[in-house]
Every structure is written in structure tokens, then in C-alpha cells.
Amino acid sequence: MTRSRAHAKASAPGKLAPGELRAFLELKTGEYNRPSFIASDPVSIPHLFSRKEDIEISAFITATIAWGQRPVIIRNAKRFMELMEMAPYEFVLTASEKERARLGKFVHRTFNGIDAVYFPGALRNIYAKHGGMENVFSEGLLRAENDFAMSAAIAHFRNVFFSLHHQKRTEKHVSDPVSGSNAKRINMFLRWMVRKDNAGVDFGIWKSISPSLLLCPLDVHVGNTARALGLLKRKQDDRKAVEELTGSLRLLDPHDPVKYDFALFGLGVFEKFGTR
């Protein structure tokens, strides 16, 4: 399908046959899943690092604050890394109480110093007593018994993460799919960690989790695009919508369904698809 034909088809998504829809999404995935995407996206922050633990810690913190304008997210995530001396894993493991207190000055929207100070301590507990972040998510998957097991894995991680003493307000910054949340930011983090291809955007450093188990990160842009393409009927952007959309994407590629997040996000944000 040529680019011009793809855009012509996109104006009337209801006429796309399944094969045409797959071809269209493959085309758009290829347009956005490329190194040039990195610089203007929050994924640029973990790309500053090469060590596995530095990547996953910086990615988790960046994804946690990834709401609002993308340049602001990137700037504030970089600031958080600077407060951790650009060595997030070492900071998590060895920072003193006084050093962690430096994070008390951090603010991004409703994520404030109270939350910022808690995060390294919770991550230290995960690395010291639970074998690391990947291991916690893998354990959560083993406990799940349905087609959308990643929701259970997220809930398990959340329980471990908040197993230390904390203020109730901090819990809102790690979404709970059990309560019906779409858990967009943590699903985006998991995409970064699990997916692996030759494009170089996602890291694929977690080898114990299959990309087939990922859930599509769902925000208003992805939701509008998915509905315009007939991939999603549910009106609310909640957990049930995530499962419906992911199920539709698995029909197109059961092994790597969430690669189409690039297409849905790019179409929504950069091409305003689904809002015309």
C-alpha cells in the first residue's frame, strides 16, 4: 500500500478489510518506530544509559511522570536523573537518607517531593529482597490465570512496591488495573522493557517476558485512533478498553501486538487521526 493510498483509506476506516488494516498499521508502525522518534519522546531518558538496571529504573521513573507536555516530561525526568547523580541504580542501592532527601525538591504536576523520596527506597527493597523489577513482574505473571495476565503482574508489582511504609497519596502514581485503571504509563514502561526489534526504540532487555503478553498503552490519542479504525468499541479508556484493544491487535499480530502502539499513537498525536 502506498503512502497516498494509505491516507486515502484512513479517511474511511470502516472500509478497511482486515488485511488492509494490518498493512496500514504496519506502514504507520514503520514510520514512527525508528530512531528519529526517540529524541522528542520520554523514551529518550532511559536511552541515556547502557546498564540494564539504570535503564529500567530511569524508564520506570520517566514513565511514572509521563503525563502532560512531552518536552516538560523529558526535562523533568532528566532533572530527576540529575538529582540521582545520573547513576540511578547506584543511587537506589547506596544513597543515604540525606542524599535521598535531595529528591524532596522535585515536582512534576502532582508528583512531588514526598513521592520522589519514596521511589528509590521502594526500588531498593525490590532489588535487595525481590530479585529486581523484572523478577517481580515475572512472578506476577506466574500467578495469573487469564488471557490478560499482565494486569495481574502489574498489580503484584504494585503490591510489592508499596509494601514499605508510605503516604497514601503516593499510591496514585502507580496505577492499579484491578481497580479498573488502564495503567497507561506502566504498560508503556513494560513495552519499553520487553519489546525487541531492529528499530532501536524499545529496549527488549527483559528476556523472561514474552511481547505477546504486553497490553497496549491506552491514552486519549490511541483510543480515538483505535475507535476510528474499528479496533475498539468501548467508549471509556479503562482496563476493559485496554483488553478489548489488545485483543484486536493480537488478531493482527499475536506475537508482537503492542508494536502497533507506535502507529496508533503517531496517528493520533502527529496526524490528528480520529479527531477530524
Side-chain angles (χ1 to χ4, degrees):
M1 181 182 291
T2 66
R3 184 180 178 87
S4 60
R5 185 184 172 196
H7 282 288
K9 291 285 188 180
S11 65
K15 297 181 180 180
L16 286 173
E20 292 177 312
L21 177 58
R22 182 185 292 107
F24 176 63
L25 290 176
E26 291 283 351
L27 173 70
K28 288 298 177 179
T29 296
E31 287 184 14
Y32 292 107
N33 182 22
R34 56 180 59 190
S36 59
F37 177 85
I38 295 172
S40 63
D41 190 81
V43 76
S44 62
I45 298 301
H47 272 285
L48 297 172
F49 304 97
S50 57
R51 185 177 187 174
K52 176 190 176 186
E53 292 84 1
D54 286 332
I55 292 170
E56 60 194 14
I57 291 170
S58 63
F60 176 65
I61 291 171
T62 299
T64 297
I65 67 168
W67 80 99
Q69 296 182 347
R70 296 161 82 218
V72 177
I73 295 167
I74 294 169
R75 184 183 70 228
N76 286 344
K78 179 71 177 299
R79 175 60 177 155
F80 202 115
M81 296 304 107
E82 291 170 345
L83 290 170
M84 300 175 81
E85 301 177 346
M86 297 302 292
Y89 184 50
E90 182 178 354
F91 187 93
V92 161
L93 291 188
T94 67
S96 66
E97 184 175 343
K98 182 178 180 180
E99 289 170 327
R100 291 198 303 272
R102 291 201 307 262
L103 297 171
K105 65 182 74 172
F106 182 84
V107 177
H108 176 80
R109 298 175 74 97
T110 65
F111 187 98
N112 67 19
I114 293 171
D115 312 311
V117 170
Y118 179 77
F119 267 53
L123 290 170
R124 177 184 293 185
N125 178 56
I126 284 174
Y127 284 101
K129 297 184 179 180
H130 297 275
M133 299 178 74
E134 179 181 2
N135 190 59
V136 173
F137 277 100
S138 295
E139 286 180 346
L141 285 172
L142 292 175
R143 301 182 182 197
E145 298 179 352
N146 58 54
D147 291 337
F148 302 100
M150 194 58 74
S151 289
I154 293 171
H156 174 66
F157 171 82
R158 190 175 187 275
N159 288 337
V160 174
F161 188 80
F162 289 117
S163 62
L164 304 181
H165 176 73
H166 62 278
Q167 292 197 24
K168 185 71 175 177
R169 58 154 286 117
T170 304
E171 294 183 7
K172 67 184 177 182
H173 296 299
V174 181
S175 299
D176 182 11
V178 172
S179 68
S181 169
N182 65 26
K184 180 260 181 178
R185 286 170 285 160
I186 200 162
N187 279 318
M188 180 177 70
F189 161 72
L190 290 167
R191 194 205 83 197
W192 292 348
M193 296 299 96
V194 173
R195 282 201 70 254
K196 179 70 172 179
D197 56 27
N198 295 324
V201 179
D202 294 330
F203 293 90
I205 55 175
W206 286 8
K207 307 301 183 183
S208 63
I209 299 174
S210 170
S212 65
L213 297 175
L214 291 172
L215 300 175
C216 188
L218 176 63
D219 62 11
V220 63
H221 304 291
V222 170
N224 287 340
T225 302
R227 292 182 185 96
L229 291 170
L231 294 165
L232 176 63
K233 295 181 179 179
R234 186 171 177 82
K235 295 180 179 180
Q236 300 95 324
D237 290 331
D238 56 8
R239 174 185 170 177
K240 290 183 179 179
V242 170
E243 293 179 353
E244 180 187 343
L245 174 57
T246 302
S248 296
L249 298 179
R250 286 176 179 174
L251 293 176
L252 302 177
D253 188 338
H255 304 293
D256 188 16
V258 176
K259 70 181 180 185
Y260 296 121
D261 179 40
F262 286 102
L264 298 175
F265 178 81
L267 283 163
V269 171
F270 301 114
E271 302 183 35
K272 309 304 179 186
F273 190 92
T275 61
R276 296 194 294 267

